[in-house]
Amino acid sequence: MRFLPVFVVLAGVVACEPPRMVCDNNRLGENPELCLGLTTEQGQGRLVRTAFVGSKPIDSVSISNRGLRPLELRAVSFAGPREFKVKVSWAMDAELSAAPATTIMGGQRVFVQVEFAPTRVGTFEGKVTLESNAANQPTASFDVKGCAVPPGDDGTAPMPCE
């Protein structure tokens, strides 16, 4: 009986695609991926809220890890007016600047809470920025915009955000 040598050739393929910015399927990638629970326009997420002066509506934005390896969320910061108050779900009692880093396991999520508490009529804008070890976007951000209307406004007057 004769044995013939068999050679196996393994070829690696390098993809020349930009990092995936939109987490649009249920498949987990190998590396940590940061995905914001916002509808995005051209890669930019935006949270818009209209509220009466004196009210304090709250919105939450989810941050999920669509990778198998842990996502290390190192910092969350906010730049904008005091009409917005930003907190994180893993340290709700802490000021944002004192919130500790957190780790998000694959398929899990945490939340950023944004409260809009206008004290006067007008338009207010700010930005929330996240820093992480995500393969797809190590620095991610989303805009917040608030439109404050007078109490009792019936909606017939033009909105300040338009």
Side-chain angles (χ1 to χ4, degrees):
M1 183 185 265
R2 292 180 95 180
F3 292 97
L4 296 174
V6 176
F7 295 97
V8 177
V9 177
L10 299 175
V13 177
V14 176
C16 296
E17 297 178 16
R20 191 165 64 114
M21 298 294 286
V22 179
C23 303
D24 55 2
N25 63 35
N26 290 325
R27 186 181 64 79
L28 294 179
E30 177 67 24
N31 294 312
E33 291 187 22
L34 187 148
C35 302
L36 292 173
L38 280 173
T39 303
T40 60
E41 295 176 11
Q42 299 173 351
Q44 284 291 82
R46 181 170 216 160
L47 179 65
V48 179
R49 167 60 87 166
T50 298
F52 292 117
V53 171
S55 66
K56 294 181 180 184
I58 297 173
D59 290 293
S60 292
V61 175
S62 66
I63 303 165
S64 58
N65 178 9
R66 299 299 307 153
L68 293 172
R69 292 195 173 122
L71 173 67
E72 298 168 11
L73 195 52
R74 298 176 181 138
V76 178
S77 59
F78 175 72
R82 60 188 171 107
E83 279 75 13
F84 293 104
K85 187 173 186 178
V86 179
K87 292 187 172 199
V88 293
S89 62
W90 61 95
M92 289 299 286
D93 293 332
E95 291 292 323
L96 188 60
S97 61
T102 192
T103 299
I104 308 167
M105 302 310 287
Q108 300 298 307
R109 71 182 64 195
V110 295
F111 295 89
V112 172
Q113 183 183 64
V114 180
E115 176 183 275
F116 177 48
T119 56
R120 58 188 166 82
V121 173
T123 301
F124 306 91
E125 297 186 47
K127 182 180 287 270
V128 175
T129 303
L130 313 162
E131 295 176 26
S132 71
N133 69 329
N136 63 332
Q137 50 183 344
T139 302
S141 64
F142 62 92
D143 296 324
V144 293
K145 184 173 183 178
C147 305
V149 296
D153 188 340
D154 63 3
T156 56
M159 299 301 273
C161 282
E162 294 181 23

